Amino acid sequence: MMWRPLLTFLLLDSVCTQKGSSKELKGHVSVVIVGGTGDLAKKYLWQSFFQLYADQVSSGYSFSFYGGGLSEAEKGKPKFFQILKSLACPSEGSEERCALLKEQFFKLAQYQQLNTTEDYENLARDIRQRPEDEGLAEAGRLFYLAVPASTYADVAEKISRSCRPGQGQWLRVVLEKPFGHDLDSAEQLATLLKKSLHEDEMFRIDHYLGKQVVSQILPFRKDNKNFLDPIWNKHHIERMEIVLKETLDVKGRAQFYDQYGVIRDVLQNHLTEVLLLLTMGVPADMSNSDEIVNKKLQVFSSLKDIDRTSAVIGQYQAYNSEVQEELNRTKEDISNTPTFAGVVVHVRNTQFDGVPIFLTSGKMLDEQVAYARILFKNEVFSVRNSSSLRCSPKQIVFLLRHGNLLHSAILVSKNLFKPTVPDDSWKEVTGERDTALFGLPLSGYHIYMPTFQREAHEVVVSQIFHGRKDSIIRVETMLASWAFWTPLLDSLAQQVPRTYPGGTDTENLLDFQLHGRKITFTNEAVILSPRAFVGGSATAENFQVMRGKYRNADMVSAWPEELIDRLAADLQAAAEEAVEGGGLFHLALSGGSSPLALFQRLAVHHYSFPWQHTHIWMVDERCVPLSEPGSNFHALHEDLLQHVRLPYFNIHPMPVHLNRRLCVEEDGGPLLYENDISRLVNGSSFHFVLLGVGYDGHTASLFQSTQLDSHAHRLVVLTESPVKPHQRMSLTLAAINQAQRVGVLVTGKSKHEMIIQLSRIKDDPQKWPITGVRPTGGKLVWYIDYDALLG
């Protein structure tokens, strides 16, 4: 009976090839999808492998297909064949061929439980036996891991131990992203996989690279080199946009999505790969994977570090209720996982320095669209007709999908140049005059589309079968990408995303703007009143900034972004009042992480701040050299001072580093600073002192262990911190309480318990130094964000 599959193969060969042709048998290929009944396999993989079978059936190869799952055959087999029944036939070919292809594909496919080592040993025996029964030699084995990344190492170890082919036969193990959660986990995963598989056996895929338009970016740049080389630089490019917008929610993917979020799910891989293709040097040999990797690594080495000032994040309003329902969580279990992100990236090289590259993606947005857009500067102004083509946007768009244009395409505005058609698999089409895209009617573009539209996974599967690495992520670039993105992810870990309704109701709530190299949302933050947090509806009527009292002093509370805006505005108002009244403004700023967002806000938004008449003082300083990152002054300089026009002699760092020593009593650093304050600040009374509060209630560098009574008549002292670096220099309560205005900034959910405690206790400066802040003739205002106030 063993001749029947081979006979069917030969019959197929005769149907699919021209009469008189002959095909040499090239060997048998075994395909195993681990996770073969899962969502990815159901939506994309089986259809892709069926297309591969249809393409290769007359090429001389024979096949067997295995759908692997954790369930026993009794449960898994019906589900598996139900998936196969839904497969669509290739668009080309007759109905006769289609019926024969599907019938044979069913015969070649079987379900296999894959859980234990014994299961993999059983699979290996079957893989080996099937070609032997047909008298066929094995060509290779392809394993596609459509399972969570957390299981990759275990599955790879079982494949290596039980399912390796013989000598001269290839093994290809396909790994679908994500490859880790951050840099550390990616490195650990790479190390574990290396124990079981050789690098040339691992095919880490990003299916985005299989999309036809994405795969044409480098060829397009090379084919149109003469046109692009003079303009593909900072002198001509205004900005780049890489966008993936979705209308879908996360239902059915909540377990995965809530661990990863939009940046890990889309930006770190898909959109970053597109960024590399747009900014890397065009390789001389497009088939040389080593050259391509090296050029990508050159881009990574030139990327400017990003932090939370480089990103805005959001979360659609129904997200938490969906996650709570799907994962069986309580109403109190609130997730800050972002479902929207806008990030600005800058390449620090002579070609692109200063060109902002915006990476944007989100769930539950107004439209389903994906594209990479290069917008060029256009300084032409037409006196006769401002709407003429010469004045229209100059742009190149690599369009992956868009509602106004049903197919993927490459568009070049006609006021740039007429590009070379990529190759025979692409065609030029004419745009409709009444349809517009990115500010231009379609008739204003040269438009090129693939002759046949193919799904990305189909392309990737075909490449892997042929051993090509076009859509493969090498370990070097994978780790480089995580090294770039992980600091941003860490800096956003405690940030609450902006809530947006979703769909068209979001309107312009997520629009963002660039200030220097930093971005912010363009419109006022949506502020939820406390009522909305305890069961009230989050409507426009209860979006507000809350004012009130805290510890018998004034309080302002809002979401972090709005709170910082308000504090910055209050600071400028105080500065203008002081300058108008006396000519100078003396501001003392605390260290730590809390005021960094304020510094950045002042640097990029408050151009009318009277910096020329402002003196900057330090509230406290760590006893480290001022040039080191651990210094409070260093942070102040990096985020504020170097960006504003402040006279050099108006900057007053604390003298913690004298006579080549740090904070030694005999150097008299505190007395020097105290004398400067007494000499320059009228009555030693600062106009504004900004403080923070530690988890233990300390403020400035005044801790529970600080002998406050002994400093009653001093303005500046040395103190000891319970954490490294231990030695500090600090203003005393006497200096702080002489100020005309004191602001206390408290942000983050981690401060909620401390805020609750402080609201209940009496003044006890020795135990809670912050309670000793009581301006004698001035005003105290608490600036507390909703995370700290409401938890």
Side-chain angles (χ1 to χ4, degrees):
M1 302 296 289
M2 64 182 66
W3 51 269
R4 288 186 177 174
L6 182 58
L7 178 60
T8 310
F9 167 78
L10 294 173
L11 287 171
L12 272 167
D13 187 66
S14 66
V15 171
C16 303
T17 57
Q18 292 182 353
K19 191 173 182 179
S21 67
S22 61
K23 295 290 179 182
E24 178 186 354
L25 294 179
K26 296 179 180 178
H28 188 80
V29 177
S30 299
V31 174
V32 183
I33 301 182
V34 183
T37 57
D39 194 53
L40 178 65
K42 180 180 179 180
K43 286 182 178 178
Y44 301 109
L45 299 186
W46 284 116
Q47 183 64 53
S48 299
F49 278 107
F50 180 50
Q51 180 66 52
L52 174 73
Y53 176 69
D55 292 341
Q56 297 298 322
V57 70
S58 60
S59 66
Y61 287 102
S62 62
F63 294 86
S64 54
F65 298 92
Y66 299 86
L70 297 177
S71 303
E72 295 178 355
E74 191 175 293
K75 292 183 179 179
K77 191 174 180 179
K79 187 176 181 180
F80 172 64
F81 280 101
Q82 192 62 40
I83 293 172
L84 297 191
K85 286 179 182 177
S86 65
L87 296 177
C89 277
S91 56
E92 65 277 6
S94 64
E95 291 185 10
E96 177 190 12
R97 182 176 189 269
C98 173
L100 194 55
L101 281 170
K102 291 192 76 169
E103 178 185 356
Q104 184 61 11
F105 191 76
F106 271 52
K107 289 180 180 179
L108 298 175
Q110 70 178 56
Y111 177 80
Q112 180 85 31
Q113 183 179 15
L114 291 179
N115 191 2
T116 66
T117 299
E118 185 180 359
D119 292 334
Y120 282 85
E121 290 171 349
N122 292 336
L123 171 66
R125 278 193 294 272
D126 197 86
I127 288 176
R128 188 168 55 250
Q129 191 64 40
R130 292 179 79 176
E132 286 181 3
D133 289 347
E134 303 294 336
L136 300 171
E138 274 199 78
R141 302 176 183 183
L142 193 160
F143 287 80
Y144 201 117
L145 275 55
V147 292
S150 57
T151 66
Y152 281 173
D154 178 61
V155 174
E157 193 275 333
K158 288 184 171 73
I159 291 171
S160 179
R161 176 180 297 182
S162 305
C163 300
R164 280 193 169 278
Q167 185 112 15
Q169 301 155 11
W170 49 258
L171 172 66
R172 293 170 190 156
V173 180
V174 186
L175 309 167
E176 182 96 24
K177 69 94 182 172
F179 313 116
H181 187 265
D182 54 18
L183 179 58
D184 286 344
S185 60
E187 288 175 333
Q188 292 170 11
L189 179 59
T191 301
L192 289 172
L193 289 171
K194 197 174 180 180
K195 293 178 180 178
S196 302
L197 301 170
H198 302 301
E199 181 63 29
D200 62 347
E201 294 173 337
M202 284 185 276
F203 284 65
R204 302 176 195 82
I205 70 154
D206 185 336
H207 75 271
Y208 233 62
L209 294 176
K211 290 184 177 293
Q212 290 169 289
V213 168
V214 174
S215 67
Q216 278 297 325
I217 292 177
L218 282 181
F220 176 87
R221 290 179 59 193
K222 187 170 186 177
D223 293 343
N224 294 280
K225 179 180 173 65
N226 291 339
F227 296 114
L228 290 175
D229 274 2
I231 63 173
W232 204 257
N233 54 62
K234 63 185 179 183
H235 302 297
H236 296 273
I237 296 176
E238 181 178 314
R239 68 176 184 268
M240 297 185 184
E241 303 166 1
I242 306 171
V243 176
L244 171 56
K245 293 167 63 176
E246 298 182 272
T247 56
L248 300 173
D249 55 26
V250 302
K251 289 178 182 177
R253 295 186 71 215
Q255 181 72 51
F256 164 83
Y257 200 90
D258 201 49
Q259 296 178 55
Y260 285 83
V262 65
I263 295 177
R264 290 181 174 92
D265 185 38
V266 175
L267 275 74
Q268 181 273 331
N269 38 70
H270 298 334
L271 302 196
T272 299
E273 286 296 328
V274 175
L275 181 153
L276 296 174
L277 295 173
L278 293 174
T279 57
M280 64 187 279
V282 178
D285 182 357
M286 304 288 277
S287 63
N288 187 328
S289 60
D290 288 335
E291 184 184 2
I292 291 174
V293 166
N294 288 335
K295 289 189 177 295
K296 287 184 176 181
L297 292 176
Q298 288 173 11
V299 176
F300 276 122
S301 68
S302 300
L303 293 181
K304 188 180 187 304
D305 295 342
I306 52 176
D307 57 27
R308 60 184 177 180
T309 67
S310 311
V312 289
I313 55 174
Q315 183 189 88
Y316 67 83
Q317 194 167 333
Y319 177 81
N320 266 292
S321 59
E322 291 173 2
V323 171
Q324 288 162 0
E325 180 180 355
E326 190 167 325
L327 303 184
N328 197 27
R329 293 179 179 174
T330 65
K331 295 289 185 184
E332 291 73 31
D333 192 353
I334 303 298
S335 170
N336 285 335
T337 299
T339 61
F340 167 85
V343 179
V344 63
V345 175
H346 287 90
V347 182
R348 292 181 302 183
N349 61 24
T350 54
Q351 185 176 6
F352 295 112
D353 191 27
V355 176
I357 305 174
F358 297 104
L359 278 62
T360 308
S361 185
K363 297 280 189 183
M364 286 290 288
L365 298 179
D366 58 318
E367 60 180 342
Q368 197 90 351
V369 63
Y371 61 86
R373 178 189 182 212
I374 299 87
L375 181 64
F376 294 87
K377 299 173 183 177
N378 191 352
E379 298 173 350
V380 174
F381 178 78
S382 175
V383 176
R384 294 183 58 196
N385 181 10
S386 61
S387 61
S388 72
L389 185 61
R390 295 183 66 212
C391 300
S392 299
K394 292 183 177 181
Q395 54 197 342
I396 297 173
V397 183
F398 298 97
L399 190 69
L400 280 68
R401 65 173 180 227
H402 197 287
N404 288 349
L405 200 61
L406 297 179
H407 300 296
S408 57
I410 298 174
L411 300 91
V412 179
S413 56
K414 290 181 178 177
N415 55 5
L416 269 176
F417 61 88
K418 180 176 175 58
T420 302
V421 178
D423 57 41
D424 293 341
S425 63
W426 288 69
K427 60 183 179 181
E428 184 172 8
V429 297
T430 304
E432 301 174 16
R433 292 188 174 275
D434 58 347
T435 303
L437 211 61
F438 304 108
L440 268 179
L442 287 182
S443 59
Y445 291 102
H446 298 293
I447 304 174
Y448 301 90
M449 290 183 179
T451 305
F452 297 103
Q453 299 277 335
R454 296 192 66 186
E455 200 278 321
H457 278 91
E458 288 182 10
V459 175
V460 171
V461 163
S462 177
Q463 290 171 353
I464 295 167
F465 173 76
H466 290 98
R468 287 168 50 190
K469 298 271 186 172
D470 305 51
S471 304
I472 307 309
I473 307 300
R474 286 264 289 269
V475 66
E476 305 98 309
T477 55
M478 182 261 289
L479 294 178
S481 181
W482 276 121
F484 174 68
W485 286 99
T486 296
L488 174 66
L489 291 165
D490 290 343
S491 71
L492 294 175
Q494 302 302 319
Q495 187 163 322
V496 178
R498 171 175 288 195
T499 303
Y500 60 96
T504 55
D505 291 340
T506 301
E507 297 182 336
N508 66 346
L509 191 59
L510 296 178
D511 291 354
F512 53 87
Q513 59 192 347
L514 184 67
H515 294 278
R517 293 181 180 267
K518 301 169 184 179
I519 61 173
T520 60
F521 285 118
T522 57
N523 50 9
E524 289 294 312
V526 177
I527 308 302
L528 293 174
S529 72
R531 182 178 302 172
F533 285 88
V534 293
S537 60
T539 62
E541 288 74 23
N542 54 33
F543 288 163
Q544 60 183 3
V545 176
M546 189 169 68
R547 291 184 175 275
K549 292 288 184 179
Y550 181 77
R551 290 189 56 82
N552 298 317
D554 287 346
M555 178 192 71
V556 177
S557 189
W559 283 120
E561 183 182 344
E562 176 68 12
L563 185 71
I564 294 300
D565 291 355
R566 189 56 53 93
L567 174 55
D570 289 350
L571 263 175
Q572 178 159 347
E576 291 170 348
E577 181 182 348
V579 170
E580 186 177 344
L584 294 174
F585 176 57
H586 289 280
L587 171 63
L589 295 169
S590 184
S593 59
S594 295
L596 295 182
L598 171 68
F599 299 162
Q600 294 155 2
R601 176 76 189 180
L602 289 170
V604 298
H605 287 280
H606 290 258
Y607 297 110
S608 60
F609 197 101
W611 294 115
Q612 290 287 329
H613 306 285
T614 297
H615 282 255
I616 298 290
W617 301 82
M618 301 301 297
V619 169
D620 62 332
E621 183 57 275
R622 301 170 179 182
C623 291
V624 298
L626 298 182
S627 59
E628 291 189 2
S631 160
N632 290 338
F633 179 78
H634 182 272
L636 173 64
H637 179 270
E638 290 299 301
D639 287 295
L640 177 62
L641 298 183
Q642 69 171 333
H643 303 293
V644 298
R645 291 183 177 272
L646 195 72
Y648 176 80
F649 291 104
N650 289 15
I651 302 171
H652 307 281
M654 279 185 161
V656 295
H657 199 183
L658 296 173
N659 301 321
R660 299 184 181 179
R661 297 183 294 181
L662 289 165
C663 293
V664 293
E665 197 74 46
E666 55 266 34
D667 280 349
L671 185 59
L672 284 173
Y673 208 59
E674 185 171 311
N675 289 338
D676 283 347
I677 293 172
S678 300
R679 180 169 53 88
L680 296 172
V681 181
N682 185 26
S684 300
S685 176
F686 293 106
H687 293 104
F688 203 115
V689 174
L690 180 66
L691 302 173
V693 187
Y695 300 107
D696 56 358
H698 83 266
T699 191
S701 281
L702 304 175
F703 304 93
Q704 292 179 1
S705 59
T706 305
Q707 299 302 312
L708 299 178
D709 292 341
S710 63
H711 304 149
H713 302 293
R714 298 287 305 277
L715 299 181
V716 187
V717 294
L718 293 176
T719 65
E720 289 284 331
S721 167
V723 297
K724 292 181 179 180
H726 297 298
Q727 286 187 300
R728 308 288 176 95
M729 187 179 291
S730 177
L731 295 185
T732 63
L733 288 176
I736 293 169
N737 287 330
Q738 286 176 202
Q740 296 178 29
R741 181 160 180 166
V742 178
V744 181
L745 177 62
V746 189
T747 60
K749 285 188 176 183
S750 58
K751 297 286 180 73
H752 177 62
E753 290 300 323
M754 183 268 297
I755 285 294
I756 295 298
Q757 282 186 295
L758 286 178
S759 69
R760 296 169 178 167
I761 63 174
K762 296 181 179 180
D763 290 351
D764 186 357
Q766 197 58 60
K767 185 175 181 181
W768 302 89
I770 187 64
T771 64
V773 177
R774 298 185 296 272
T776 51
K779 183 178 182 181
L780 171 63
V781 179
W782 290 79
Y783 294 86
I784 309 175
D785 74 1
Y786 280 152
D787 295 327
L789 185 66
L790 304 170

